[in-house]
Amino acid sequence: MTPILIIFALVGLVWGTILAIRGNLLLASVGLLVATSAFGVYFFEFKFGGINLSIDRLAIVGLGVAFAVQWKLGKIELRPWMALDTVIAIFFGVLIFNTFSHDIRNLAPDQVPPVQHLINGYLIPLSVYIVARNLKYDERQVDWFLMAMTAFGVYLAVIGIMEGLGLYGFVFPRYIADPKIGLHFGRARGPMVQSVSYGVYLCGCLLTTCLLWSRASAKTKGFVFCLIPLFLAAIFFTKTRTVWAGAGVSLMAGIFLTMQGKARTVLLTGMVACGLLAVAAKSDAIMGLKREGTVEDTRRSVSMRASFTYVSWEMFLDRPILGHGFSQFRKAKLPYLADRNVDLILESIRDYDHHNTFLSVLTDLGLLGFIPFLCMYGMWLRNGWRLARSESPPWAKAVGTLGVGTVLIAFCQMVGHEITFMPFEHLLIFLVAGMNAALVYDFGLVPRSHTPAPTTSWPAQAAARG
């Protein structure tokens, strides 16, 4: 085994050096999404010097090193501080303080360690945000990004369709077919082995495919358009209501921001009408959706959300400013389950982590963390909206549209799930947010702290190339 690891290390060193000096870091960031999703610890893990390592962990280190090297070589120019950066700094300052100011060792059974939660859910995505925020963008760069995300999405969609049809012999990596690994076996869950994380990527890649179609040549438009049904089928097989909602609202946002006239009106009206009809005609079937458990299990899952909401509100009222400590909900909620003043089965949530990201942040961090968290996402949404509606080149508007859609996808998931325990969702969200933060600055859509020198005015050159 050792000689094999040495060979892999040498090959990685050679290619890593090439990437660090000459590589496209935006495509490398997409590669990190792929590595984290499909080539994590379930795929391959080894020990080196007593440390557990995997391909995705090496990839994040490699991306950071490559960014530092290109910065030192003058290929990357760090953008000045913006108001958004202040909000992000406040949120992460509260988050880190709240993590280490509480007990991080005396954990409840099966509780995710707070430090692990902090690193996976927030710090790793933040590192990708910093990279994306400071890269140089032009039309060619963005088109390659859209193509890479579309290709990744096609892979995910095909895997999901195979799962939905029960053809597990055709899935890769093979661990996807193991019911003992991950959650939601029986639904389409992809290499993330979790239908929500998988659904976020499907929705995001569906939107990038639609944006690529809008930018494709007449010869390739038909081919790109034929890929869209693959995504829709895989999204259906996730059997996850929040994923369906995320796909719907992100597509509606994409249509509103990229189309005009009667075509836009007809498509949006048709989508809203179809959605309302589906809810009206199939509401019982949707609420009692048969998934990996029984229909009764699904209905119980829906009713548990009322218990989560009630307990979270009571916890917030007790500690409204600082909260109960980051990632402490599993243990901190236990005293509240004895409340008999409400007609809810509060004990049903005893062994569960939170099922709502907004309420999770509120109870963990209090208003001191919840307000900057909302502001951070709100500013990301505003950046995308401004960019998509600006007079900037079409390729930049496409990034803005993707930014709006990604935040809406995230909001739909946050209402029904805690999406920060693993790095999957936030990696994609922070990457797109970083791209939008860079471009709204480049095109003068946010206040600048100072005017760049003429010798470094590459944003204007990029706009001209667009």
Side-chain angles (χ1 to χ4, degrees), residues 202-441:
L202 273 180
C203 294
C205 291
L206 171 60
L207 188 53
T208 61
T209 303
C210 293
L211 293 170
L212 181 63
W213 172 80
S214 70
R215 296 185 47 74
S217 64
K219 294 182 179 180
T220 57
K221 274 186 179 292
F223 171 75
V224 176
F225 185 80
C226 289
L227 299 177
I228 295 176
L230 293 176
F231 289 93
L232 297 177
I235 288 170
F236 172 77
F237 282 130
T238 63
K239 300 180 181 178
T240 305
R241 291 174 289 263
T242 56
V243 171
W244 296 348
V249 296
S250 61
L251 285 178
M252 290 176 66
I255 291 170
F256 181 83
L257 292 170
T258 60
M259 301 181 70
Q260 295 179 349
K262 291 184 178 180
R264 180 172 72 178
T265 303
V266 170
L267 283 174
L268 289 177
T269 303
M271 291 184 68
V272 171
C274 290
L276 292 175
L277 285 173
V279 171
K282 298 291 185 179
S283 58
D284 289 340
I286 292 172
M287 295 302 292
L289 185 66
K290 177 69 169 66
R291 301 187 289 198
E292 66 273 11
T294 65
V295 172
E296 185 59 33
D297 291 333
T298 303
R299 295 185 184 275
R300 188 181 304 114
S301 174
V302 174
S303 67
M304 284 170 58
R305 300 188 187 280
S307 298
F308 275 111
T309 302
Y310 178 81
V311 170
S312 298
W313 181 249
E314 292 297 315
M315 293 175 68
F316 165 69
L317 292 178
D318 282 350
R319 296 187 181 181
I321 306 301
L322 293 175
H324 294 258
F326 176 66
S327 202
Q328 298 289 339
F329 177 80
R330 194 180 185 100
K331 181 172 62 175
K333 72 175 185 290
L334 297 179
Y336 297 87
L337 303 184
D339 189 344
R340 295 296 180 264
N341 297 320
V342 62
D343 188 22
L344 291 172
I345 307 176
L346 302 182
E347 282 290 336
S348 63
I349 67 172
R350 174 176 290 274
D351 298 326
Y352 291 90
D353 290 305
H354 220 303
H355 278 41
N356 184 303
T357 304
F358 295 115
L359 291 177
S360 177
V361 173
L362 183 63
T363 56
D364 283 357
L365 306 182
L367 290 175
L368 204 60
F370 184 68
I371 292 175
F373 178 80
L374 286 184
C375 289
M376 178 177 72
Y377 266 90
M379 294 176 79
W380 287 346
L381 182 63
R382 185 185 65 176
N383 282 348
W385 183 268
R386 283 180 171 177
L387 189 58
R389 304 290 286 178
S390 69
E391 298 300 322
S392 55
W395 59 266
K397 291 183 178 181
V399 176
T401 301
L402 180 61
V404 172
T406 302
V407 171
L408 294 177
I409 292 166
F411 281 172
C412 289
Q413 312 318 308
M414 289 180 181
V415 169
H417 309 277
E418 225 296 8
I419 66 170
T420 67
F421 282 106
M422 298 297 289
F424 302 123
E425 293 95 330
H426 262 177
L427 270 179
L428 177 60
I429 296 164
F430 275 60
L431 171 60
V432 175
M435 295 172 66
N436 276 271
L439 288 174
V440 294
Y441 179 84

Side-chain angles (χ1 to χ4, degrees), residues 75-96:
K75 295 184 177 183
I76 292 175
E77 178 185 350
L78 300 184
R79 288 176 177 82
W81 193 265
M82 295 179 273
L84 172 59
D85 301 316
T86 301
V87 173
I88 293 175
I90 292 172
F91 171 70
F92 274 86
V94 173
L95 179 67
I96 293 171

Side-chain angles (χ1 to χ4, degrees), residues 85-112:
D85 301 316
T86 301
V87 173
I88 293 175
I90 292 172
F91 171 70
F92 274 86
V94 173
L95 179 67
I96 293 171
F97 171 80
N98 214 295
T99 300
F100 292 101
S101 61
H102 292 80
D103 187 0
I104 59 175
R105 296 182 179 180
N106 184 23
L107 307 178
D110 299 324
Q111 179 181 349
V112 176

